[in-house]
Every structure is written in C-alpha cells, then in structure tokens.
Amino acid sequence: QVQLVESGGGMVQPGRSLRLSCAGAGFSFSSYALHWVRQAPGKGLQWVALMSNDGSQTSYANSVRGRFTIARDNSKNTLSLEMHRLRSEDTAMYYCASGRIVPVLEYWGQGTLVTVSS
Amino acid sequence: DIQMTQSPSSLSASVGDRVTITCRSSQSISSFLNWYQQTPGKAPKLLISTTSTLQSGVPSRFSGSGSATTFTLIISSLQPEDFATYYCQQGYSTPFGFGQGTRLEIK
C-alpha cells in the first residue's frame, strides 16, 4: 500500500523559515519523481516544486523560486521542502505527491498545514 | 508559463446526469493533460493521465479526450460519490500548472 506522510507544518511568523518532510512507503521510492503542491484555504491547487527520481533535476514555481528548496534522500525514502522568507501568501496545505511519469501526480499524501502569520 | 482555464467554475447536476468539464491551455500541450478529483478535506486523487488514460480503480463512467489546447472530462452518469471538485493539470512543461477547478454540486 502506497503511503506518503507529510510532517513539519505549523504556524510561523512572516520572514521566518520552516522545513517540511514527506516519508514514502509501499512503492519504489527511488523510481518516482516527487512534487510539492499547495492549496491555500478555500482555493485551488498550486504546483510548487519537482525533483526527479535521481535528484538530478529540480524545478520551482515562480512564486517560490529562490526561497524554497526541494530535496530528497532515496536511502531514507524521504522528501523535504525548505521554506525561507515566508510570506502570508505561503499559507496553505502542502501536499507531497509522487509519479513514475514526471508530470503525473499518481500518489498523494494527506498534507501538512502551514500558516504564516504574526 | 502555460495558463490552464477550466469551464465552468461550478456546476449543479443530478444523479444520472451526463456532465462535461472543459479545460483549455494557453498554448499547445500535446496530450500532456491530467485530471484530478478532490473531495472536501481530502487530498486530490488522480483520475485520468495523458488526456485519456483511466487510472486503475477509476470507474469507466469517467472519460477524457482532447488534444493541443482543448480537453474534456466527461462523467457519463453521475453517481453520488462524484460530487467533488475537479482539476486539470498540464504536464507539458514546468511549472506544471493546474486549472482553477470545477466544483460539481448536487442539484
């Protein structure tokens, strides 16, 4: 059974940093591309970042490039998202997702909520 | 960046109805179009990949078609569990943007 479990969310002040993690199980983790997708309260889905299965390729949404860093550790089946200089508009549920085919988000975690507020 | 636009934004329908949701891209994305379903409080679920490939376990009343810039998701006979929000997503080039969503409500 495929599982993706996010953690690390919480409330943080604007300008501060936060690190999200996602643990994968039940699938060949190192064969899958991994993504972060977020959803602001009551809003639609926004794709945030991608890392290829071997970690050689990354891509970011314009709104987070230079502030967020995606990383993975295939030996531990984990994905992370380092978020710096957080803004109120970064407030959202953050989902990790995986796919054998890079642009197809096949499996999703249940999300971790990030709230940026003073 | 490629912009994705869904229509309608919301839709009221009855059990048994046939429903069509349209997704348009601002430039050609070939067949790199995926559809997701999200129910309140839950994570999205992949329904259809690459325009028309139904995912394992997804009922056959769901189908997808289209190419280039115009795509459709059809639900042939609505069931109670289908009332949800549907999103298209382009997989042609990063950033892999989503449409704004179509909320399907019970009439």
Side-chain angles (χ1 to χ4, degrees), chain A residues 39 47 59 62 103 105 108-109, chain B residues 1 34 36 38 43 89 94 96:
Chain A
Q39 186 170 34
W47 180 84
S59 185
N62 292 337
L105 282 62
W108 295 66
Chain B
D1 297 357
N34 308 314
Y36 301 84
Q38 187 179 33
Q89 174 240 334
T94 57
F96 292 141

Side-chain angles (χ1 to χ4, degrees), chain B residues 40-84:
Chain B
K42 300 290 188 181
K45 171 188 173 183
L46 176 67
L47 292 178
I48 290 172
S49 63
T50 326
T51 297
S52 59
T53 302
L54 206 63
Q55 298 305 293
S56 175
V58 175
S60 59
R61 62 181 179 272
F62 290 91
S63 64
S65 64
S67 66
T69 63
T70 304
F71 302 85
T72 58
L73 172 69
I74 294 175
I75 310 172
S76 60
S77 178
L78 274 173
Q79 298 302 301
E81 60 268 30
D82 300 338
F83 292 93

